[in-house]
Amino acid sequence: PRLTLKNLNINNNVGAVVATPKVLKKKSAEELEEMDISQGDIEERSHLRENLKELMEDLNNLQDKSLTRKALSIKSVREFRSRVGSFKKQIVNFQQFMEKHQKYTFHHTAKWVEEHREKFVLETNLWDKIKNSRFSLFSSRNKRYKGRVQHAIRNIFEAMSTFNHAQALDRQSHLQKVQNKDELQDANNLFRKGQNYFYGHTVPRDWQKARDYYKQAISTARHAQAAFCLGNMLREGQGGAKDEESAKMHYQFAAEMGHRDSWYWLGRLYENDYLNYNIKNRMSFALECYSTAATWEDDPFPPAMVALGFTLERGDIYVNDTDVKEAFRLYMEAARLGFAPAMNHVGLMFFQGKVNHDGNVQSKADIANETETPQLVKYRYAHAKSWFTQGASLNHAGCNFNLGRMYEGGFGVELAEKKALHHYHLAMNSGHVDAEASIGYLMMKHGEYKKGLERLASAAEKGSSEAHYHLGEAYEHGRGVGVGLGVAHAHYIAAADKKHPKAMLKHAHFLFSGHQPAGEGGTYLKISKKQRYLKAMDIYKLVAETHGIAEGYNCMGLMYEEGCGVAASHEEALKYYKKAAEGGCAQAMVNLALMRERGRVVESELSSDQALEYLEVAGRLGNMQAKLLLASKTIVAERAESLGFEAGLSVPLQVDMMCVG
């Protein structure tokens, strides 16, 4: 359920303003003076009531039109209808609030309704076009309508967030009007005392006393900043037990009193509910809160803009439609406001190729088809470096870390490990644990095994998934330590638990091969071979679909081809090998050629020319197996056996299973 002021039980003095009886007839001058409102306010309220009624009719009309069969064939429409429903509830709640609080004036809300009503009238034209058009689920026209629907969803979000803001401003105006000046002064004094005890200014630091003074400030004059600070203390467990539910209530209280930052932190707590406890409806609340803070009039909150942008960029995680273009716009706006984390996100979008050198969004097909020339890629990396450099100048750890990555890998710059180490050290000093892991990795690379392992162990203790991954590699291949596959597997599991993609792949490979992790990994001894295969299959699928790593599809294809844990199916193997090949996996291209040579696919499914073309591409990508096959010109049984291509091929025998990217 939504949190409202009614949920707040800080003490008996905190609650909603007492409502006067409903009196809609024209009031006398004496009555108006007693209520401290004007006749113009009464007329504005009446006009607002009528406009809200018409707005509800428009929203009902939108929902009805989006019920058509053609409209429902677009995935985004269901989300749109849900958002409209939430917005209708929001308006109904406001109407009830307005009728209960006759002393309130609603200048900001009335202005909002006047500005937004026409927008919803125009939206109905979209649904009329969908209803009257002829299109199928797979047509380009449907894709165009899907884009329009996503735009409509953004309009609803913008409307909900700005509507929240307008209400908050009206409540804040009323509070300032009715507050006793002496009470407000007392509340400010209590708040300052709380700040002094929190930071240890002029008095010894005492977080419990800080909590007490914040509560007194809220009780005395409904002090929004005190409620926000108390919410922070409850969230972090400062001065008492950690209590996220109480923190939510205080953030909600401060937000409804017009405190912008509270909307953002309320959204963070709702997002945590979704990510940590899988409470589905909390994510929609989080998005609404982020949107409110991100669109705050004349003063948008950059952290909220970045949080909202990330949910749009990674719609696969947050169960909403991905909108990279809108995410990039939000990141850019926040970056221009001087917010370093936003600069890091902008740099990453350039670096990862999600936008080209001109800042235009690139599709996966564009990236796969290599539409960018090497010179354009260089320009794109230059943009990435520029944004990372700006963020690094503000001591942002992530920007320094990513600059180190660019210098270490030579992405758009000359290889310079000294510069990479410099930026890694800056990032490490700012608390970036993966930077410490990268320093340890470079030490290992240059033979400084003892120091490198110490660095990696230190970073792993601090929770670095990258450190666990490199420690796993060290124990798997005996770099600076004796070979210990059980210990290696344990480190891969620790990194995989933190969603490290390459570690997840390694974990799946070890499950496939039957290696048991050391230490607490005894549970793996109890599962059957088939269960291990199925668990490995689940991980391969997750890595491929969620993290976009094509090797996951390649491994799924191999398991279907050989019938490992699943019924053997050459059709399924062919499907997943092709998916992996489209993602640039060289080993999958080799496996497709081998399927054709072994007669496991017919000419119509994969021709000999296509198989040869796959081998040539894999060879150009550096796959040694492909180069050997091409050098032999023809694959004969004896040659295949000598190279280890026997029909019972297992994962550990595959060449180049992992991709460094």
Side-chain angles (χ1 to χ4, degrees), residues 205-319:
R205 174 179 285 182
D206 189 330
W207 282 344
Q208 183 56 58
K209 284 187 177 180
R211 280 194 182 197
D212 294 338
Y213 278 115
Y214 289 149
K215 289 178 182 178
Q216 290 179 50
I218 299 167
S219 304
T220 302
R222 305 179 74 179
H223 201 288
Q225 184 70 16
F228 171 70
C229 292
L230 185 55
N232 288 339
M233 296 189 75
L234 288 164
R235 174 173 56 84
E236 295 291 340
Q238 296 168 326
K242 187 174 182 178
D243 188 347
E244 290 192 353
E245 290 305 312
S246 293
K248 283 177 195 170
M249 288 195 292
H250 285 83
Y251 285 143
Q252 181 79 38
F253 172 78
E256 292 185 351
M257 299 310 298
H259 194 274
R260 180 200 63 179
D261 298 11
S262 294
W263 283 106
Y264 167 72
W265 284 105
L266 186 59
R268 285 285 298 272
L269 291 179
Y270 279 136
E271 182 181 342
N272 288 342
D273 285 345
Y274 169 73
L275 294 175
N276 298 331
Y277 308 110
N278 201 30
I279 305 175
K280 299 293 185 184
N281 66 334
R282 292 300 172 89
M283 198 58 224
S284 62
F285 295 159
L287 290 172
E288 181 184 333
C289 294
Y290 289 151
S291 186
T292 300
T295 57
W296 203 259
E297 186 178 356
D298 300 327
D299 192 19
F301 194 43
M305 298 165 78
V306 170
L308 183 59
F310 189 73
T311 61
L312 294 172
E313 182 188 357
R314 296 303 308 273
D316 54 328
I317 298 175
Y318 294 99
V319 199

Side-chain angles (χ1 to χ4, degrees), residues 54-117:
E54 292 177 8
L55 178 57
M56 286 293 287
E57 291 176 358
D58 293 336
L59 292 173
N60 285 329
N61 191 23
L62 275 177
Q63 274 197 315
D64 291 341
K65 287 181 179 293
S66 64
L67 271 172
T68 62
R69 180 182 60 79
K70 289 182 178 179
L72 287 173
S73 66
I74 303 176
K75 177 184 175 183
S76 307
V77 171
R78 301 181 188 277
E79 183 183 354
F80 172 78
R81 294 191 71 253
S82 173
R83 299 286 180 254
V84 172
S86 298
F87 190 34
K88 284 167 62 179
K89 290 178 183 177
Q90 196 174 348
I91 293 174
V92 169
N93 289 338
F94 172 73
Q95 288 173 320
Q96 293 171 352
F97 180 86
M98 183 174 66
E99 297 305 330
K100 288 180 180 178
H101 298 82
Q102 295 293 316
K103 287 188 177 183
Y104 272 59
T105 55
F106 298 99
H107 302 311
H108 294 93
T109 308
K111 182 182 177 182
W112 181 93
V113 174
E114 289 286 350
E115 292 175 351
H116 284 75
R117 258 208 64 224

Side-chain angles (χ1 to χ4, degrees), residues 444-622:
M444 296 279 288
K445 180 180 175 182
H446 293 290
E448 298 180 50
Y449 293 121
K450 184 177 180 180
K451 290 183 179 179
L453 287 169
E454 288 175 356
R455 282 285 189 189
L456 289 174
S458 172
E461 286 179 5
K462 296 171 186 174
S464 170
S465 59
E466 193 77 9
H468 278 296
Y469 175 73
H470 288 311
L471 284 170
E473 285 195 316
Y475 279 100
E476 182 182 0
H477 302 293
R479 295 170 184 163
V481 291
V483 174
L485 296 181
V487 178
H489 193 186
H491 280 296
Y492 288 141
I493 291 174
D497 288 342
K498 296 179 181 295
K499 309 302 180 186
H500 190 290
K502 288 195 268 186
M504 292 168 74
L505 270 177
K506 285 283 191 177
H507 175 33
H509 293 344
F510 272 71
L511 282 174
F512 187 96
S513 305
H515 290 296
Q516 306 301 327
E520 300 296 325
T523 53
Y524 288 98
L525 294 169
K526 300 176 183 178
I527 62 177
S528 66
K529 185 176 183 180
K530 183 175 181 179
Q531 287 176 316
R532 284 193 289 101
Y533 282 156
L534 291 175
K535 187 171 179 62
M537 176 74 84
D538 289 340
I539 296 173
Y540 288 142
K541 185 176 182 180
L542 181 65
V543 167
E545 294 181 351
T546 303
H547 298 280
I549 296 181
E551 283 72 22
Y553 285 131
N554 176 55
C555 296
M556 291 176 70
L558 183 68
M559 293 182 77
Y560 273 109
E561 183 180 3
E562 303 301 337
C564 300
V566 292
S569 171
H570 294 160
E571 291 79 9
E572 288 294 301
L574 181 66
K575 179 179 78 173
Y576 286 114
Y577 282 150
K578 283 187 174 181
K579 278 190 174 184
E582 289 169 4
C585 177
Q587 188 60 45
M589 300 174 191
V590 173
N591 290 339
L592 282 167
L594 290 174
M595 281 191 78
R596 180 70 190 92
E597 180 62 28
R598 294 167 183 160
R600 294 182 175 180
V601 291
V602 297
E603 186 76 15
S604 60
E605 293 175 318
L606 182 69
S607 67
S608 299
D609 289 340
Q610 287 175 318
L612 182 59
E613 185 178 346
Y614 275 128
L615 276 181
E616 290 173 347
V617 173
R620 288 198 295 271
L621 290 173

